[in-house]
Amino acid sequence: MSVRLSLLVALVAAPVAAQQAEWERPEVIREGAEPMHATFAGFETKQAALRGDVRRSRYHLSLDGDWRMKLAPDPEARPKGFEQPGYDVSGWGTMRVPGILQAEGHGGPVFVGSGYPFPRNQPLIDHSVNEVASYRRDVVVPAHFAGRRMLLTIGAAGAAYYLWVNGQRVGYSEDSKLPAEFDVTRQMHVGRNTVAIELYRYADGSYLEDQDFWRVNGIERSVSLYAAPATHIRDLDVSAGLDAGYRDGRLKLGVAVGGAAGGVRVRATVLDGKRAVLVREGAPDAQRMVTLAGDIAGVRAWSAEAPSLYTLLVELLDARGRVIEATSRRIGFRTVEIAGGEVRVNGRRIMIRGVNRHEHDPHTIRIMSDATLRRDLELMKAGNVNALRLSHYPNDERIYALADEVGLYLMDEADIESHGYLSLFQQTGDESVLLGHRPEWKAAHLDRVQRMVERDKNHPSVIFWSLGNETGTGPNFEAAAKWVKARDPSRLVSFLGHSMSGWRHPVNDYVDIFAPMYDDIEKIADYAVRPEFKQPLILCEYAHAMGNSLGNFQDYWDTIRAHRKLQGGFIWDWVDQTLIRKDAAGRDYWAQGPDFDNKGGDDSPVGDGVIRSDRTPDPEYHEMAKVYAPIGFERMAPGYVVVNRHDHVDLSGYTLDWAMLEDGVEVARGNIPVPVVAPGGRAPLQLTPPAARDPSAERRLVLRARAKAGAIPLVDTGHVVGWEQFALTGPRELPAVAQGVAPVDGGAVLRLAAGGAVLEVDKVSGLLRGYARGGRMLLTGGAPDFWRAPTDNDIGANVPTSHAMWKQFSEHRRVDAVRSEGDAIVVMHDMGVGSVKMETRWTMAADGTARGDVTFTPIRDDLPDPLRVGLQFRTPPALDRVRWYGRGPHETYVDRRTSGLIAQWGGTLAEQYHGYARPQESGTKQDVRWIVLEDEGGRGLKLTGGQPLAVNALAFPYADLAMQPAGKAHSSDIRPHGDGTLLVDAAQAGVGGDTGWSLDGRAHMQYRVPLKPIRWSFTLGAAR
């Protein structure tokens, strides 16, 4: 590192004088707040506690709704003294709470993939970009709150804020993703009160909040007031495990009593439904802690597959046994451990079929409605997801309770990411720049980890604690890991710290799991077989789902399932971070960073989920669901077996059935007796496929497993959980043209005509002027085509530059010959002045069926691989319906086709393009035997392959999908107009997706188009 750079780093990291504001002092994290406690609510009666509805409680008051708000462009312009009740805010606007300022038109959203939207100069913040929102509202405290302890909770707000009540300063807090509770008993009184919050967009804590997401802010979770009794329950610590035999439940409960001293007792009751299965009672000790314990014989253990919950009722009683305060929560009995080098839950090895998820909504940005939150979990359960990494911060408390209820393993992650300083370390090699190495940042690191653990410690769904993401490493993280292990030995600790692991396996020995990010298949396989690596491997991020992606996902899981040391991973990620905005024509489109002012942001694409931000599944979602399926089928002579990939449950909650397809149409179906199959086991099926109805047909057997009622929470009865298809015969062969008609010279064209059909080849271009039947034009063009509209992965891998010659070859052709040769019209195209040759031979049978035989011949051996090898045709707008026999119903690619059932499918032409955030290649179908384009009367064109083809039919010119500069192309640009497109490919490259920003994002070699001669054929005929 140069002397100049060393000096700069030293200046950047210099201690800040104490006169700096709290929000520029990393050692100042919180002032005036209560210690963090677990999520629970106090109630005045046992019955109210069991209902758990704070809206019906006399002592809970929501402060959500409209607040008066004024936004200042910087701290110096903020309205000073606004916290005083006499300050006139009547002319201010309003702001919703919870709410994101930028979503409500106050300032602009900024997206940063890595780095900060302000100069990197920790712990200082550039004041010129640090907007300050001043919030005010009046709160009427009812008379019955008198004499009680008033606790005001701000669920989450960021990046930093001050709180006043009636003009008196109460406190200060940082960390945008965890609540802060303030005792306002002294400041607040019965009657009207003024609550004021001064919220800073950025603070020193923002250096720890460098996640790849929208840099927006607001009071993003609820604000509430609770009037607790003078003596009240301050915290609950529930340890609900299993005995050594994993049969009996072992409960240990710690109840912290707060407030005024007094003679109180605590009674704890565990309920199974309405039946009490355990009751314990005790008095506080000298530290005002009540510790209770007890066993439950034959307890129903909790797991993601069987999320059995009990109700814990805790009552604080006075000396006469009357309830002072009560609360309840759902608890689950389970163990988490490393045993035999494996992560085990309840003594059984588990597989993590996970996703990462940001809290994101296309309208409200970070505010999640109950409906959206529940929809996420419905889609996860239906998509065979069993684990969720809360990337990269503690989430809204609601998702933890839902995960407990429906069965999801959670990796709870501290709100720590300092990617900007990790990048500086990667540039300089100087570890001292990492915030995890800096003593003045230790308290902030520990605070974020400790408060997360204290808030979420009672949820059975949380089985991993994560110390953060893309931070680098350092002693601050080692100290945090040590604290977590001492505080909560019942769970495991995960932490990578690095952005990517490079050509090594950088194991952190102070955590329990090796959690690499985007390691490819070869790397994880190497780790699995190396005996010196003891930790189980669970990919914290992999299978980067940006745009049209998620290639070779089946290959990942073939490898993961082959090695016991590999226990799955978390896809990046679940939901696109697009926002919905309107274009000039008033149409909605998926907006990204460059679509806004984005000051301080970058051009990172944000459509990296397996579902869109409105919760519409992407095609990738179906591939994920297929590969993640916990039930599979295999062919094993002389029959078939079912494979139970569950970790804890047998197959009694499922039904099995079969279907026989002939030429893609179901001709028979039936049920299969469900054998007894233990978790992780397999068993043969009692199944004899029926004889063929049509001996010449292509026959495929489809086996399916469906959920019974209640087998999987949030999943409908009959939902297909796992399925497989087996080829019993090959595709039908394309019949040869018995006797072709002779070409006719038509002057500017060569013509084939028979059976009411005419095919004309232009002598100058070598392309079809048209293929018509009954005087109706069905198809034109047929240009050699080697290019595709770049996917996000193509762009990230620099394919538009490295492979640009294939675009040139597709758009600029030399016609070497257009001639008659026997009964054929032969067209010879040359691309790249002798680089590539393409020959197309057109013939026609007496019934008007035309045949194309195409030969692709690369001459140069130093060209990169083509993205596709095929022909591009245009189709008339009237042919707006499509049917095909191949993989479907969604788009498929050679490395993402496992989820495509080979059958007959159909729909409108407009439906075939999937609206990715940025227009790109979409709509291709693999293994197509034939495709029909027709009008509403069923008249049109049928194209049949001589071998299975990759075909793409779209309702607009393919050029509409061409790559544009960032922010210049939008999803709303793509709509039916003009001629349609028909792409007929012998092969197209896969979509890739190991990453989205490097060569690793390209399709694996086996899924690329080889640079060698390719021959294929097809026929053109009538639709019916």
Side-chain angles (χ1 to χ4, degrees), residues 785-789 806 810 838 856 865-872 893 921-922 924 950-952 958 983-989 1009 1014:
D785 192 17
F786 316 105
W787 185 248
R788 71 179 179 199
W806 291 111
S810 298
M838 186 88 95
F856 164 78
D865 53 298
L867 299 186
R868 67 176 359 124
V869 171
L871 301 178
Q872 183 175 144
Y893 291 83
E921 159 64 38
S922 169
T924 293
V951 178
N952 196 349
Y958 191 71
L983 304 172
V984 183
D985 295 337
Q988 184 189 160
V1009 181
I1014 302 174

Side-chain angles (χ1 to χ4, degrees), residues 473 495-498 500-511 513-539 556 559 563 565-566:
T473 55
F495 177 62
L496 174 69
H498 308 280
M500 302 279 281
S501 58
W503 302 108
R504 60 199 179 107
H505 299 302
V507 175
N508 294 322
D509 59 8
Y510 50 87
V511 298
I513 297 162
F514 180 46
M517 183 180 290
Y518 303 109
D519 274 9
D520 58 27
I521 292 169
E522 291 77 12
K523 282 189 69 175
I524 63 174
D526 178 78
Y527 182 91
V529 300
R530 300 298 302 176
E532 65 268 32
F533 299 117
K534 307 299 184 184
Q535 293 177 350
L537 183 153
I538 298 173
L539 291 148
Y556 255 119
T559 300
H563 300 279
K565 202 187 294 183
L566 307 181

Side-chain angles (χ1 to χ4, degrees), residues 656-660 668-672 687-688 690 701-704:
L656 305 179
D657 59 66
W658 61 269
M660 182 61 66
R669 65 165 55 199
N671 296 320
I672 305 171
L687 168 66
T688 302
L701 176 67
V702 182
L703 303 180
R704 295 184 176 95

Side-chain angles (χ1 to χ4, degrees), residues 719-901:
H719 173 75
V720 176
V721 175
W723 65 275
E724 195 54 76
Q725 57 185 327
F726 300 93
L728 305 185
T729 63
R732 290 180 187 260
E733 293 186 5
L734 185 67
V737 176
Q739 183 174 355
V741 299
V744 175
D745 192 328
V749 300
L750 291 178
R751 181 181 298 115
L752 294 169
V758 177
L759 181 143
E760 291 184 335
V761 178
D762 187 283
K763 288 182 179 180
V764 175
S765 67
L767 305 183
L768 292 188
R769 283 202 181 176
Y771 175 67
R773 296 187 71 94
R776 188 180 188 211
M777 188 62 66
L778 301 177
L779 198 69
T780 59
D785 192 17
F786 316 105
W787 185 248
R788 71 179 179 199
T791 65
D792 284 326
N793 288 338
D794 291 336
I795 294 171
N798 200 35
V799 166
T801 299
S802 64
H803 289 58
M805 68 286 295
W806 291 111
K807 185 174 187 291
Q808 170 79 11
F809 294 171
S810 298
E811 296 173 349
H812 302 281
R813 301 168 298 279
R814 185 179 73 201
V815 179
D816 283 352
V818 178
R819 65 177 184 269
S820 298
E821 190 175 285
D823 63 354
I825 300 172
V826 179
V827 180
M828 299 293 299
H829 280 110
D830 175 278
M831 281 68 63
V833 290
S835 298
V836 174
K837 303 289 186 182
M838 186 88 95
E839 176 190 280
T840 308
R841 299 177 63 88
W842 293 106
T843 55
M844 181 176 283
D847 65 356
T849 300
R851 176 174 174 134
D853 290 279
V854 191
T855 303
F856 164 78
T857 307
I859 306 302
R860 298 175 63 102
D861 61 4
D862 58 353
L863 296 171
D865 53 298
L867 299 186
R868 67 176 359 124
V869 171
L871 301 178
Q872 183 175 144
F873 296 96
R874 298 188 304 277
T875 58
L879 303 185
D880 59 358
R881 289 160 173 76
V882 61
R883 294 183 287 116
W884 74 97
Y885 176 24
R887 291 189 187 265
H890 49 273
E891 66 180 27
T892 50
Y893 291 83
V894 65
D895 60 352
R896 198 189 72 217
R897 60 181 176 177
T898 302
S899 59
L901 175 64

Side-chain angles (χ1 to χ4, degrees), residues 29-31 157 159-162 171-175 178-180 182 451:
I29 303 160
R30 197 163 295 101
E31 293 178 343
Y161 57 90
Y162 298 90
Y172 167 83
S173 185
E174 298 179 12
D175 188 338
L178 284 172
F182 299 90
R451 295 177 74 244

Side-chain angles (χ1 to χ4, degrees), residues 221-238:
R221 296 180 192 154
S222 289
V223 180
S224 62
L225 180 67
Y226 173 50
T231 304
H232 59 93
I233 300 169
R234 194 192 67 77
D235 197 8
L236 301 176
D237 188 351
V238 180

Side-chain angles (χ1 to χ4, degrees), residues 53-134:
D53 186 355
V54 296
R55 295 169 299 181
R56 298 172 61 183
S57 168
R58 298 183 70 233
Y59 296 107
H60 286 274
L61 187 63
S62 172
L63 274 60
D64 291 348
D66 288 340
W67 290 51
R68 291 288 185 178
M69 192 279 296
K70 185 175 181 62
L71 186 67
D74 55 62
E76 287 67 36
R78 75 193 192 279
K80 299 177 178 64
F82 84 102
E83 70 276 7
Q84 297 301 322
Y87 190 102
D88 184 9
V89 298
S90 61
W92 290 11
T94 60
M95 177 63 200
R96 195 180 337 178
V97 173
I100 296 299
L101 288 157
Q102 295 75 21
E104 301 292 331
H106 304 291
V110 175
F111 192 91
V112 186
S114 168
Y116 304 105
F118 44 78
R120 184 175 58 199
N121 187 25
Q122 65 85 12
L124 304 180
I125 298 295
D126 181 353
H127 288 209
S128 69
V129 299
N130 199 11
E131 298 167 345
V132 179
S134 300

